[in-house]
Every structure is written in C-alpha cells, then in structure tokens.
Amino acid sequence: MIEPYFLSILIFSPLVGMLIVAITPKTLTSTVKWVGFLATLLPLALAAIAYARFDRSVDFLQYVTSVPWIQIAVDPLTGQRLEIDYALGIDGLSLTLILLTTVISTLAAAASVNIDKAVKGYFLLFLLLEVGMLGVFCAQNLILFFAFFEMTLVPTYFLIAKWGLAKRENAAFTFLLYNGAGSAVMLIAFIILFSTTGTLNIAELQALDLASLGSGNPLAQPGFRMALVAAIIAAFAVKLPIFPLHSWMLRVHAEAPVPTVMIHSGILLKIGAYGLIRFALGLFPHEFAELSVALAVFGLINLLYGALIAFKQTDFRMVLAYSSVSHMGIVLLGLAALNAAGVQGAVFQVISHGLISALLFFLVGAIYARTGTTEIRYISGLSSSAPRIGGFLLAGGLASLGLPGMSGFISEFTAFLGLFEQKPLLAAIGTIGIILTAVYMLRAVMNMTFGKASFKNIGDLRPVEWGPSVVLLAFILWIGVNPAVISEPLHAVVDSVLVALGGS
C-alpha cells in the first residue's frame, strides 16, 4: 500500500534526522553526532528493503511514483506547456547505487566522530547531501534529476569550505566552479531535449526514436544529435572526472574532511558514470556508439595518466586521488566496449571503487589523526605500531590493484573482457595501466605498512573505527566472491542497453 510513496520516504528520510539535529542544542555535541549517525540508518534500512523486494526478472521501473508537479505555459500560440512531473522509479542500476549511497553515508557519518567544530551545522549539511544523492538515483524526470543534482553541490561546497584543511576555501571554490559549469551545460542539453521532444520524462525519451521525429525537428539531423550527446558527455565528464577536467577533484580529495572525501570518491564521482549510462548511452545509443573509440581513448588517457602521476606522489592522499582518476578510466573503457561484459564491468567498477576508495580514505583519516601526516616517507612500520590499521590498509591496497577474490578484480576483469572483444588494441594498451596500478599502490602501502616503525604508541583502531573498516572490507570481499549480488539486478539494465544498440 505504501509502495507508491516508498521512494519518497527513502529519499527524504534523512530529513527526520535533520529536524532532530536542528532542535538539539548545539552544546550537546555528542548527542548531535549520535543523532546524525542514527539518522543515516533509516535510509540504509529502507534501501535494504528495496533490494530484498526488488523483482530481478522484469526490465521495467519499480517503486514508480508519478504525479503532476509544475505546469508552465511556454508558448501560448502553440499551446506548448512545460510540464514537470514528480516522477520517481528505480531499475537495477539505480538500486545498486542507492545501496552504495546509504552504506557509505552511514559509514561516513560514523567517521565524522572526529569533527570538532560547528557539529550541528555539519550534520545538517551532511544529511541534506544524502537527500540529494538519493534523489539523483531515483529521479525519472530530467528537471527533477537536475534539482537533486544541484542539491548535492551546495552542501558539498560548505562541507569542504568550512571543515576542510588549510586550502579548503580554494578547493571548495574550484569544486563549485567546475561542477557549476558542468551542470549549466547539462541544463542547456535538457532544455533542448524538452523543446525538441516535448517531454522531460526519461522513460518517454528512451522510447522515442529520435532519428525519425520528422525533417522539421532538429533531432532528426545526425549532426544535431551528435552535438547534443557530446554536450551531455562533457557535462558528466566533469563529474566523473575525465582528463583534462579532473584538476578540481584532486584539490577536493586533498583538502576536504575525510568523511566528505569518502562520500565524494565513493558516491558523488559515480553520478558522472550514472549520467553517462542513463542519458548519453541510454538516450543516444547510436551516437554514443559512434563516439566509442574517442571515449575509449579518453579512458586510456585517464587510466595511464592517473597511474603514472600516482606513482610520483609522496602524499598518500594524492596517491589515492590520482588512483581515482586512473580507475575512472576503466569505467569509460567498459562503457566504450558497448557489450554486456563491458557495461557490466563499468558498473562493477563504479560500485567497487566506491567501496575501496571509501575504505582507503577512512584509513587515511585514522592515520592522519595519529601521526599528523600522510606523507609516505614519514610513515613506516604500521604493521608493528598499529597492526590492525596496517592490516586493513594492506587489504585495501590489494583490493585497489585488483587482487582475485576482491571486488576490484571482478570489475577490471569484466571491463577488459568486454573491451578485448571489441577493441583489442586499446585493451592491450590499457593493461599497462593495470600493471602500473599494482606498482604505485604496492609501493605506497608496503612503505607505510612494513619496515621500522616511525611512530610508536600511536594506538590502533578504536572501537568506533572498527565498524567502517570491517563493513567496507566485508562488502569488498562479498562482491569479490559473489558478484551475483550486483550482476543479478543489472541483467535487465544491460539487456535494454544492448537492445538499444541493436544487439540481442
């Protein structure tokens, strides 16, 4: 009976926590932290229910809600109206990303125990950010998607600018500048789509044959469609990020507080991949296919450039930042393969990197809290001075380089399997990036974990730090040994992509 409202309850459930945080006196810092953490458990529980009840045998949207929201007369002469529906629904792709969002949000809230100033404002913004992220993955209307997308930008900006490190304001400004430009391009593309098709509903747009709209419609022109899909790709290339639009992300990862970086690397970057799949590949499959070689080349650049620069970094935070650039290249390579293995590998990489990067950045925060530095040359011997931190760091590093049995292996293997089928030369070049990843990650992790302890009596994992470490590593291993947990909900999504591309 509540199914039509289920996604609305899920999306806005963090508002309950925001209300309680808002009325809690700011002097009760510990209470605010507990409320902020507990508030993330409700959307997590609802996401788990959605996953358990999700019907994997059908290829249509589930938990659908669609009611009229905004109606504006655009052209009184033609009677054209801008009708924006409050339309929600999820498929297997949305479901997996919603689960990722709720899991990492809860663990990032637990990691926020070290936030020591303006705690009340911090958790208000934190929970508002979760509302925006959940809305992005549930929206089935272009403008509603854009509204939730914008909702993620404002709290992220303030979380970086107020609670970040020394150069936080510069990092926050760069974040807003790049992402604001990307969202402006996205909005223009969405408006053009509405003006040429008369609908903002994503499912209706996917059902249209844009090439046969009539000679008077600009979308009937191949060049126009190609320009539009290029604009959409550019908009989400900023978010992914794709070289050379990646510099803002490096500053964010270097200066933002650890819980924000966990969310940023674990979820927000993935909105870029989601947008490419949902809007570029989903609405313009044939044009996307024509651009696939160029996308694969950009993916290779991301993969190799990120890996090479990561190898030269002396700060572990920057190693992870460039590692994210490199791993997002694999997402692009998987999508450019345009087959079942490639697309599935790209989504696996999105989920896997979200979990692995969240674990590694969480450990970065734990190490920094004890040593005051993340410079690799100053840190060694964690296996003796803090053996549990060293153990989780080693496990996270092995997952990042794609050790079999962990989620990273499934992601890279599947994405490259798809690419070798379609573009073997580019795939062969891409394997160099896999080798470089192993080199830079092992170099950094081994230097920090083994050798003579540079810091003694620094203390190992505290009780509050066990939860995020264990849960994230458990998910990484679970996906690694049982990839069906992700692949089953994705079957229908991948099949629909192949059908749109003309396959079967």
Side-chain angles (χ1 to χ4, degrees), residues 401-425:
L401 61 85
L403 187 75
M406 295 179 155
S407 61
F409 172 76
I410 298 295
S411 311
E412 295 174 6
F413 174 78
T414 315
F416 273 93
L417 178 65
L419 192 64
F420 264 109
E421 288 180 2
Q422 299 295 327
K423 300 172 177 63
L425 177 60

Side-chain angles (χ1 to χ4, degrees), residues 126-203:
F126 184 97
L127 295 171
L128 180 62
L129 176 59
E130 186 172 14
V131 172
M133 293 187 293
L134 291 171
V136 160
F137 298 128
C138 295
Q140 292 300 320
N141 179 290
L142 295 180
I143 296 302
L144 190 60
F145 172 88
F146 181 79
F148 281 122
F149 181 89
E150 291 290 293
M151 190 184 289
T152 66
L153 299 186
V154 176
T156 305
Y157 169 81
F158 284 109
L159 286 170
I160 299 169
K162 186 169 179 62
W163 288 274
L165 301 180
K167 298 178 182 178
R168 58 186 180 273
E169 293 179 355
N170 180 266
F173 174 75
T174 308
F175 162 81
L176 199 59
L177 183 66
Y178 273 77
N179 285 270
S183 62
V185 174
M186 182 204 314
L187 180 60
I188 292 170
F190 286 174
I191 291 173
I192 292 173
L193 268 174
F194 168 71
S195 64
T196 51
T197 62
T199 181
L200 290 165
N201 186 282
I202 296 172

Side-chain angles (χ1 to χ4, degrees), residues 18-49:
M18 288 182 67
L19 178 62
I20 300 174
V21 168
I23 62 177
T24 303
K26 64 180 180 182
T27 52
L28 300 178
T29 304
S30 180
T31 303
V32 170
K33 288 182 179 179
W34 269 108
V35 171
F37 169 71
L38 293 174
T40 63
L41 296 180
L42 180 56
L44 176 61
L46 292 171
I49 292 171

Side-chain angles (χ1 to χ4, degrees), residues 63 95 192 277 315 470 495:
Y63 302 101
L95 178 68
I192 292 173
I277 297 171
D315 188 319
V470 171
D495 287 346

Side-chain angles (χ1 to χ4, degrees), residues 95-432:
L95 178 68
T96 52
L97 289 168
I98 287 169
L99 272 174
L100 180 70
T101 300
T102 54
V103 168
I104 292 183
S105 293
T106 297
L107 301 178
S112 300
V113 65
N114 292 324
I115 298 297
D116 56 3
K117 66 177 181 180
V119 175
K120 187 170 176 175
Y122 173 86
F123 274 101
L124 287 173
L125 291 167
F126 184 97
L127 295 171
L128 180 62
L129 176 59
E130 186 172 14
V131 172
M133 293 187 293
L134 291 171
V136 160
F137 298 128
C138 295
Q140 292 300 320
N141 179 290
L142 295 180
I143 296 302
L144 190 60
F145 172 88
F146 181 79
F148 281 122
F149 181 89
E150 291 290 293
M151 190 184 289
T152 66
L153 299 186
V154 176
T156 305
Y157 169 81
F158 284 109
L159 286 170
I160 299 169
K162 186 169 179 62
W163 288 274
L165 301 180
K167 298 178 182 178
R168 58 186 180 273
E169 293 179 355
N170 180 266
F173 174 75
T174 308
F175 162 81
L176 199 59
L177 183 66
Y178 273 77
N179 285 270
S183 62
V185 174
M186 182 204 314
L187 180 60
I188 292 170
F190 286 174
I191 291 173
I192 292 173
L193 268 174
F194 168 71
S195 64
T196 51
T197 62
T199 181
L200 290 165
N201 186 282
I202 296 172
E204 292 178 4
L205 287 167
Q206 286 176 328
L208 285 175
D209 184 357
L210 299 178
S212 60
L213 286 176
S215 58
N217 193 308
L219 281 175
Q221 305 301 319
F224 188 86
R225 293 197 303 277
M226 189 62 76
L228 194 56
V229 73
I232 292 174
I233 290 173
F236 289 105
V238 174
K239 199 69 179 177
L240 193 55
I242 296 174
F243 179 90
L245 304 172
H246 66 290
S247 60
W248 65 273
M249 186 273 280
L250 302 172
R251 297 182 188 183
V252 169
H253 282 198
E255 299 297 330
V258 166
T260 304
V261 179
M262 289 173 67
I263 287 179
H264 192 267
S265 63
I267 308 166
L268 293 175
L269 295 185
K270 283 41 183 194
I271 296 176
Y274 178 79
L276 289 178
I277 297 171
R278 185 69 75 204
F279 303 115
L281 180 55
L283 301 183
F284 301 91
H286 303 295
E287 289 73 18
F288 193 91
E290 290 184 36
L291 293 171
S292 64
V293 174
L295 291 172
V297 171
F298 274 105
L300 274 182
I301 294 172
N302 257 53
L303 177 60
L304 299 176
Y305 165 81
L308 285 170
I309 303 300
F311 182 74
K312 297 182 63 177
Q313 299 305 306
T314 59
D315 188 319
F316 192 52
R317 261 197 181 221
M318 294 310 296
V319 172
L320 298 182
Y322 279 103
S323 174
S324 292
V325 174
S326 182
H327 281 92
M328 291 305 98
I330 297 176
V331 174
L332 212 52
L333 290 173
L335 293 179
L338 297 173
N339 54 22
V343 174
Q344 197 152 266
V347 180
F348 263 98
Q349 179 68 357
V350 165
I351 303 297
S352 172
H353 179 263
L355 296 168
I356 295 170
S357 63
L359 173 61
L360 290 172
F361 275 112
F362 175 77
L363 295 171
V364 163
I367 293 169
Y368 184 80
R370 288 158 174 79
T371 65
T373 182
T374 51
E375 281 285 338
I376 297 170
R377 56 183 168 168
Y378 296 139
I379 304 171
S380 63
L382 285 175
S383 61
S384 57
S385 60
R388 294 171 183 83
I389 293 178
F392 278 107
L393 182 65
L394 185 59
L398 294 174
S400 183
L401 61 85
L403 187 75
M406 295 179 155
S407 61
F409 172 76
I410 298 295
S411 311
E412 295 174 6
F413 174 78
T414 315
F416 273 93
L417 178 65
L419 192 64
F420 264 109
E421 288 180 2
Q422 299 295 327
K423 300 172 177 63
L425 177 60
L426 294 177
I429 297 172
T431 54
I432 299 172

